[in-house]
Amino acid sequence: MMNITPVVKQLLIINIIFFIGSQLVPVSYDYLIMYFPENPDFRIWQVITHMFMHANLLHIAFNMFALYSFGSMLEHFWGGKKFLFFYISCGLGAALLNFAVNYYSFQDSLNVLIANGYSKTYVLQLLSENQIAVKWKEILTVSQFENFTSAYGSAVLGASGAIYGLLTAFAFMFPNAELALMFIPIPIKAKYFVPGLLLVDLFLGLKGSSLFGSGGTGIAHFAHLGGAVAGFLMMLYWKKNQFNNNRWN
């Protein structure tokens, strides 16, 4: 197995420190995970800090294992600075797409409420007090109401978006490398494995969005896709500009 590279090692340490700290001081979740921007609990630094927060031991263990497995190899080829730039950029791409989807769900229902005589200020005030107007359930469809309230109260945490970017880069660079999931121990080439994984996320994300109605899994599938899209676009740009082979030391 490849040795842990310097930046990956530092990222592992930072994530572990954040996780232990959040377990010792649970209130830290309110300040460091990323809330919907219309939510009064949103803080600008959450765009970065949410990448280092995890919900439980299984969550961080899975992400850190993936970071070690794929990150060390990519850093070995790219150099530390290029790898860190890629990793953070994928995390930001994940946050951006997740916000865009939640904004669509929220704004779609908010426009319906405004059209029925409610002001945006009044709606946001009620939501900030963890209240709703009973009439909203009569105005909005079931899926609109569920997506409206869940988008406002949603919070994103974890390195998964950045990890999906690493997976995409790995498949881009080593398409014929064989990968396998723990619960599906059948080797599959990366060029098939990663797109397949993304299609599952897309299906589950759409199933839980206002496009297909309710039925979400509690996982930020669009954050995963956002990280993958950001990673793919960067890899495509670097390849097109003959930049992919250059290290940033």
Side-chain angles (χ1 to χ4, degrees):
M1 296 182 71
M2 180 172 291
N3 293 330
I4 301 178
T5 47
V7 173
V8 168
K9 181 178 181 180
Q10 292 165 13
L11 288 172
L12 289 171
I13 292 172
I14 293 171
N15 275 277
I16 292 171
I17 289 175
F18 268 68
F19 180 70
I20 293 174
S22 65
Q23 299 303 299
L24 296 175
V25 188
V27 72
S28 63
Y29 277 97
D30 290 336
Y31 295 96
L32 300 177
I33 63 178
M34 189 175 69
Y35 287 95
F36 186 64
E38 294 281 13
N39 192 307
D41 288 326
F42 174 76
R43 302 289 184 275
I44 189 62
W45 60 77
Q46 294 171 357
V47 175
I48 296 294
T49 58
H50 83 278
M51 300 182 206
F52 303 100
M53 299 291 289
H54 290 85
N56 51 52
L57 188 59
L58 183 62
H59 189 199
I60 189 172
F62 182 83
N63 279 342
M64 294 305 98
F65 177 74
L67 172 59
Y68 161 70
S69 300
F70 299 100
S72 292
M73 184 173 294
L74 294 175
E75 184 182 349
H76 172 76
F77 283 97
W78 291 346
K81 291 180 181 178
K82 184 176 180 180
F83 172 78
L84 183 60
F85 174 82
F86 184 89
Y87 181 87
I88 297 297
S89 296
C90 289
L92 293 175
L96 180 62
L97 184 58
N98 187 77
F99 162 70
V101 171
N102 279 338
Y103 179 81
Y104 170 80
S105 297
F106 182 81
Q107 196 64 38
D108 177 58
S109 299
L110 179 61
N111 289 338
V112 174
L113 294 177
I114 291 174
N116 280 269
Y118 290 94
S119 71
K120 179 178 179 180
T121 302
Y122 175 73
V123 172
L124 291 178
Q125 181 182 343
L126 277 188
L127 290 174
S128 69
E129 297 169 354
N130 294 317
Q131 299 182 39
I132 61 168
V134 177
K135 192 73 174 177
W136 294 355
K137 291 187 176 181
E138 300 176 14
I139 297 172
L140 301 173
T141 65
V142 173
S143 62
Q144 281 180 324
F145 179 79
E146 290 181 354
N147 284 286
F148 175 64
T149 53
S150 65
Y152 179 84
S154 67
V156 181
L157 71 163
S160 301
I163 297 300
Y164 267 66
L166 300 185
L167 279 170
T168 302
F170 182 86
F172 206 102
M173 293 179 66
F174 310 103
N176 293 315
E178 294 187 335
L179 304 173
L181 290 172
M182 289 181 287
F183 46 86
I184 307 179
I186 303 173
I188 304 173
K189 290 184 177 181
K191 62 184 178 183
Y192 305 125
F193 180 93
V194 174
L197 191 62
L198 295 176
L199 284 175
V200 171
D201 266 301
L202 179 60
F203 171 76
L204 293 175
L206 290 175
K207 186 174 182 292
S209 76
S210 58
L211 298 178
F212 281 16
S214 59
T217 63
I219 299 173
H221 296 288
F222 285 107
H224 295 172
L225 293 169
V229 169
F232 178 78
L233 291 176
M234 280 188 287
M235 294 300 293
L236 201 62
Y237 176 80
W238 288 349
K239 180 179 181 180
K240 182 179 179 181
N241 290 273
Q242 298 298 311
F243 188 57
N244 195 42
N245 295 322
N246 296 339
R247 290 174 56 89
W248 295 4
N249 293 318

